Amino acid sequence: RLGPSVTAIGIMACVMGAYPLLNYIPVAALAGIMLVVVLHTFKWFSVSMVVAALLPDSTREKLGPRFQRKAPRVEVFVIFLVTLLSNWPQGTNIAYAVGVGVAICAINYAWSSGQTFTWRESYGPDGTKYYDIEGPLFFAASNRFVKVMNPENDPDKVEVRFSSSTSIMDYSAMEALHKIAVSYAGKNKKVVFKSLCPESEKMITKANKLCASIEYTSREIAVPDVEGIAPLPEEVGCNE
């Protein structure tokens, strides 16, 4: 913490008042300092990771263990793209380049998170059909969620059980739940969404006028007993 603070104060002093003194420092000395900084701060092992990302698996296996570690290809593409946009075409700068890089990384993250959406179908002894949902529900997965459901051929009672990793993240997911509920209601069938996390339940409660057809249950959260804490009065009464 001390080093960056001293550096920042020194640069501020040079820019605000001591800039005439910079004229006495040779440009070659400044360039040498920058080269030394680059040599000591650059992660040289990352060069092989970038090269490995551009090679197929068969080539990496032939080159040995050094090229087994690789950076994601999307990130390598973003590195080159940001570097290019920082200098070309004319009129762009580092701010525009970073904005483009952030946008590409956000799109890639949304796409990757949407691919984690999975489901499993099963039937109970009473004929109830269960859909067990894994993964986050948002705009990249909501359309798949709607297509998974089958109100035409499903039995009269259907339960959608969300896992601990599933949560409703945006309006598209709420719209998907509402569309599914309306579809089953149009077939005189009942669908219940179970184990909604508190955050998802809060979103649906706030938008109850937009998705009033959704029937859901809250996720049961087990509270472990903590040694040394007295029980609640009602718990004492029940034990007696």
Side-chain angles (χ1 to χ4, degrees):
R1 295 181 181 180
L2 181 60
S5 300
V6 173
T7 302
I9 294 174
I11 293 175
M12 182 181 67
C14 292
V15 172
M16 296 183 65
Y19 57 88
L21 297 177
L22 297 177
N23 296 327
Y24 295 98
I25 301 176
V27 177
L30 294 177
I33 293 173
M34 294 304 299
L35 288 174
V36 172
V37 170
V38 170
L39 290 174
H40 285 81
T41 58
F42 189 81
K43 305 295 183 181
W44 293 102
F45 65 87
S46 63
V47 175
S48 61
M49 297 175 62
V50 172
V51 174
L54 304 176
L55 300 176
D57 294 337
S58 58
T59 305
R60 290 202 304 270
E61 293 177 359
K62 294 178 181 179
L63 293 176
R66 183 179 181 182
F67 290 89
Q68 295 302 313
R69 296 188 305 169
K70 72 180 188 71
R73 291 178 177 174
V74 173
E75 295 184 9
V76 173
F77 171 74
V78 170
I79 291 173
F80 285 112
L81 182 63
V82 171
T83 304
L84 177 64
L85 292 179
S86 299
N87 302 279
W88 184 86
Q90 187 177 2
T92 60
N93 53 42
I94 188 64
Y96 293 118
V98 170
V100 172
V102 170
I104 294 175
C105 290
I107 294 172
N108 177 67
Y109 176 78
W111 175 264
S112 301
S113 298
Q115 299 303 310
T116 61
F117 175 81
T118 58
W119 70 93
R120 183 171 59 87
E121 301 177 10
S122 60
Y123 289 88
D126 57 349
T128 302
K129 187 174 183 179
Y130 298 98
Y131 289 90
D132 295 301
I133 305 299
E134 293 273 354
L137 276 177
F138 62 113
F139 65 90
S142 57
N143 192 37
R144 294 177 60 196
F145 182 39
V146 173
K147 293 181 178 180
V148 165
M149 307 301 292
N150 189 5
E152 294 286 344
N153 302 318
D154 281 347
D156 293 338
K157 187 177 180 182
V158 176
E159 291 186 4
V160 180
R161 300 182 296 194
F162 296 119
S163 68
S164 58
S165 63
T166 304
S167 60
I168 297 173
M169 303 180 67
D170 59 9
Y171 173 77
S172 299
M174 289 192 296
E175 176 64 20
L177 266 64
H178 178 70
K179 187 181 295 184
I180 292 170
V182 171
S183 300
Y184 278 87
K187 303 293 182 181
N188 294 322
K189 298 178 181 180
K190 183 179 180 181
V191 58
V192 180
F193 302 97
K194 288 197 167 186
S195 301
L196 282 179
C197 64
E199 293 80 8
S200 302
E201 185 179 356
K202 184 177 180 180
M203 289 182 63
I204 294 178
T205 302
K206 288 184 176 180
N208 58 351
K209 292 185 179 180
L210 298 176
C211 48
S213 302
I214 299 176
E215 185 175 347
Y216 63 91
T217 61
S218 303
R219 180 178 300 170
E220 296 181 0
I221 302 177
V223 180
D225 295 331
V226 180
E227 186 178 356
I229 297 180
L232 297 174
E234 55 268 20
E235 295 178 353
V236 176
C238 293
N239 293 330
E240 293 178 353

